[in-house]
């Protein structure tokens, strides 16, 4: 801050503190995605799902249900684990050794951006699986928050049926998370989410 109260940057700062935080966030994102995938796996496993059909399939043994969606989820979880490797531990001097310690913050930011996109897709698959599991538990009724979440999803993603091409439905669930419609719908029922 200058003596007259103005704030000005002349670029004489080091990006390492920002790079460290970005790298740490990528670790947390990888962990969160891993937990979501494990919850999905539990819903699809008849030995652990409390009576739900294998893979949440309508005709187990004929239909694969959400098995391939969970494979996709597992692949993104694995990718996020690789993206959680810190960029900030690397430094390659540049500019004839003038830039002798480079933070690699840009690389950390790009990794985090990719990991966050994967996390949203992982959560979208969990959302589709959880909604299907709720539908398959009918006539049991979910909580008001879960009911409105399923209703919002069902505006673009149909409920359980025979096997079908899931990519458009998973993309629609991803859009629902990306644009905030799901959070808005749930918040309208339960109040502001923090």
């Amino acid at each position: 801050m200058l003596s007259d109260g103005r704030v000005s940057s002349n670029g004489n700062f080091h990006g390492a503190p920002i790079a460290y935080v970005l790298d740490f966030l990528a670790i947390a994102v990888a962990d969160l995605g891993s937990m979501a995938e494990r919850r999905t796996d539990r819903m699809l496993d008849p030995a652990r799902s409390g009576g739900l059909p294998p893979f949440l399939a309508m005709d187990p043994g004929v239909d694969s249900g959400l098995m391939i969606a969970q494979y996709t989820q597992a692949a993104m979880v694995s990718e996020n684990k690789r993206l959680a490797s810190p960029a900030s531990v690397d430094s390659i001097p540049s500019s004839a050794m003038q830039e002798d310690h480079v933070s690699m913050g840009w690389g950390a930011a790009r990794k985090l951006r990719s990991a966050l996109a994967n996390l949203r897709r992982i959560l979208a698959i969990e959302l589709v699986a959880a909604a299907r599991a709720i539908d398959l538990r009918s006539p049991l009724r979910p909580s008001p928050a879960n009911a409105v979440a399923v209703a919002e999803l069902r505006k673009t993603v149909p409920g359980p049926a025979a096997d079908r091409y899931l990519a458009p439905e998973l993309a629609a669930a991803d859009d629902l998370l990306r644009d905030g419609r799901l959070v808005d719908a749930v918040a309208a029922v339960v109040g502001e989410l923090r």
Side-chain angles (χ1 to χ4, degrees), residues 162-175:
D163 275 0
R164 58 190 181 256
Y165 181 56
L166 289 176
E169 295 176 23
L170 298 179
D174 183 36
D175 289 343

Side-chain angles (χ1 to χ4, degrees), residues 150-158 168-169 171-173 175-176 181:
V150 172
E152 191 65 32
L153 179 69
R154 291 291 172 249
K155 291 178 182 177
T156 54
V157 176
E169 295 176 23
D175 289 343
L176 185 63
R181 283 180 290 143

Side-chain angles (χ1 to χ4, degrees), residues 22 33 42 50 70 80 124 145 157 166-167 177:
L22 295 171
R42 185 180 182 106
Q70 189 266 330
N80 276 2
V157 176
L166 289 176
L177 296 176

Side-chain angles (χ1 to χ4, degrees), residues 90-120:
D90 190 14
S91 179
I92 300 174
S94 60
S95 191
M97 296 299 288
Q98 181 179 352
E99 301 290 340
D100 60 337
H101 183 78
V102 180
S103 72
M104 298 302 182
W106 182 245
R110 291 177 59 229
K111 288 184 326 86
L112 179 59
R113 179 186 231 173
S114 295
L116 285 168
N118 282 344
L119 175 62
R120 192 182 57 246

Side-chain angles (χ1 to χ4, degrees), residues 14 34 62 79 129 135 143 147 151 157 160 168:
H14 198 277
S34 185
V62 175
E79 181 178 359
D135 289 344
S143 71
V157 176

Side-chain angles (χ1 to χ4, degrees), residues 31-191:
D31 195 36
L32 181 57
S34 185
M35 288 184 274
E37 183 277 330
R38 290 291 76 205
R39 288 188 299 262
T40 302
D41 180 71
R42 185 180 182 106
M43 285 184 271
L44 274 58
D45 182 351
R48 298 179 294 136
S49 68
L52 290 168
F55 307 108
L56 301 178
M58 291 304 294
D59 189 3
V62 175
D63 292 345
S64 60
L66 295 179
M67 177 179 62
I68 302 304
Q70 189 266 330
Y71 287 2
T72 302
Q73 204 181 31
M76 288 184 287
V77 166
S78 184
E79 181 178 359
N80 276 2
K81 290 175 184 177
R82 289 189 303 275
L83 290 169
S85 179
S88 57
V89 297
D90 190 14
S91 179
I92 300 174
S94 60
S95 191
M97 296 299 288
Q98 181 179 352
E99 301 290 340
D100 60 337
H101 183 78
V102 180
S103 72
M104 298 302 182
W106 182 245
R110 291 177 59 229
K111 288 184 326 86
L112 179 59
R113 179 186 231 173
S114 295
L116 285 168
N118 282 344
L119 175 62
R120 192 182 57 246
R121 292 179 193 113
I122 290 164
L123 294 173
I125 292 170
E126 183 183 19
L127 173 63
V128 168
R132 186 179 281 199
I134 287 170
D135 289 344
L136 291 170
R137 292 264 191 228
S138 180
L140 296 176
R141 293 174 36 190
S143 71
N146 287 332
V148 76
V150 172
E152 191 65 32
L153 179 69
R154 291 291 172 249
K155 291 178 182 177
T156 54
V157 176
D163 275 0
R164 58 190 181 256
Y165 181 56
L166 289 176
E169 295 176 23
L170 298 179
D174 183 36
D175 289 343
L176 185 63
L177 296 176
R178 179 187 299 113
D179 67 19
R181 283 180 290 143
L182 184 71
V183 170
D184 291 345
V186 172
V189 171
V190 299

